[in-house]
Amino acid sequence: MVVFCEGRNSEPDYVNGLKRLPHVIRNTALNIEIHPKQGTPLTLVRMAAERFKDPEVDECWCLFDVEWPKHHPHLAEAIDLAKRAGVRFAVSNPCFELWLMLHHADHTQFLDTARAESESRRLDGRKGKSIDAAAYMPLRKAAAERAARLEKRHLRDRTTFPGDNPSSGMFRFLDAVEGDGAIPADG
């Protein structure tokens, strides 16, 4: 599995935290590689689509944000290309920090990127962009349940992308990494 992250710090920190989990280490069929380059969502998906042509690569994932109030450019084009190329993706709306927030508590109200970043920092006490992934690992199942409930609510309310703020597809990435049980049964 090759993972392409938009961010330089928090997303790679989190993925590296997953890689250090004992059951992930023991799973010899799973080799998670974080691509060293970052970029906009469309750039990431283009790199992933190219890498996915390698027959040695079973799966490529792109982790990226929507951003509010000004969205990343070409989001719909990035998602469309990912679907056509077989690249999987986890979009966080407004940003990855919402996913981090969901490790601590439910969050169901719209928020912009600046608010998500400041609230995330308030919850975990960090000063910069890097996170202590080990502190998040015990809380990831609760975050997955909360993210799945948000998705379910958006589906019920027929809220469409990018209006589905707040949301995070990271729970699907967790399922891909950890296998059965990462996605809640009712999610």
Side-chain angles (χ1 to χ4, degrees), residues 119-144:
E119 183 63 14
S120 171
R121 286 187 179 128
R122 186 190 68 76
L123 288 167
D124 71 9
R126 74 181 184 282
K127 301 292 182 207
K129 292 232 173 207
S130 293
I131 63 166
D132 176 6
Y136 280 92
M137 294 301 109
L139 307 171
R140 69 191 186 286
K141 180 103 176 166

Side-chain angles (χ1 to χ4, degrees), residues 13-173:
D13 290 345
Y14 193 90
V15 173
N16 282 321
L18 289 171
K19 288 172 62 174
R20 289 190 287 271
L21 293 171
H23 65 284
V24 174
I25 291 171
R26 283 192 303 270
N27 185 352
T28 56
L30 182 63
N31 179 23
I32 303 173
E33 173 189 335
I34 300 174
H35 194 275
K37 290 186 178 176
Q38 291 79 37
T40 65
L42 184 56
T43 301
L44 292 179
V45 172
R46 285 179 175 153
M47 289 190 300
E50 189 60 33
R51 183 65 188 272
F52 195 45
K53 293 176 183 174
D54 181 342
E56 296 293 317
V57 175
D58 294 328
E59 205 168 316
C60 282
W61 276 84
C62 290
L63 312 180
F64 56 86
D65 301 338
V66 171
E67 303 289 353
W68 283 86
K70 186 174 181 189
H71 301 168
H72 275 298
H74 313 294
L75 281 170
E77 190 178 346
I79 290 171
D80 182 56
L81 176 60
K83 289 177 179 174
R84 285 187 284 117
V87 172
R88 300 187 71 188
F89 52 92
V91 180
S92 294
N93 188 357
C95 57
F96 187 76
E97 283 73 10
L98 169 74
W99 170 246
L100 299 177
M101 291 169 57
L102 294 174
H103 287 68
H104 300 282
D106 279 309
H107 187 88
T108 59
Q109 295 180 333
F110 173 91
L111 72 167
D112 64 20
T113 300
R115 172 89 193 282
E117 289 175 352
S118 69
E119 183 63 14
S120 171
R121 286 187 179 128
R122 186 190 68 76
L123 288 167
D124 71 9
R126 74 181 184 282
K127 301 292 182 207
K129 292 232 173 207
S130 293
I131 63 166
D132 176 6
Y136 280 92
M137 294 301 109
L139 307 171
R140 69 191 186 286
K141 180 103 176 166
E145 290 170 357
R146 291 173 180 131
R149 282 197 301 269
L150 285 172
E151 182 176 89
K152 190 175 183 179
R153 187 188 82 182
H154 289 304
L155 288 170
R156 184 188 65 234
D157 296 346
R158 298 182 182 177
T159 309
T160 57
F161 179 83
D164 58 348
N165 177 328
S167 64
S168 178
M170 281 297 294
F171 70 99
R172 297 195 187 287
F173 177 70

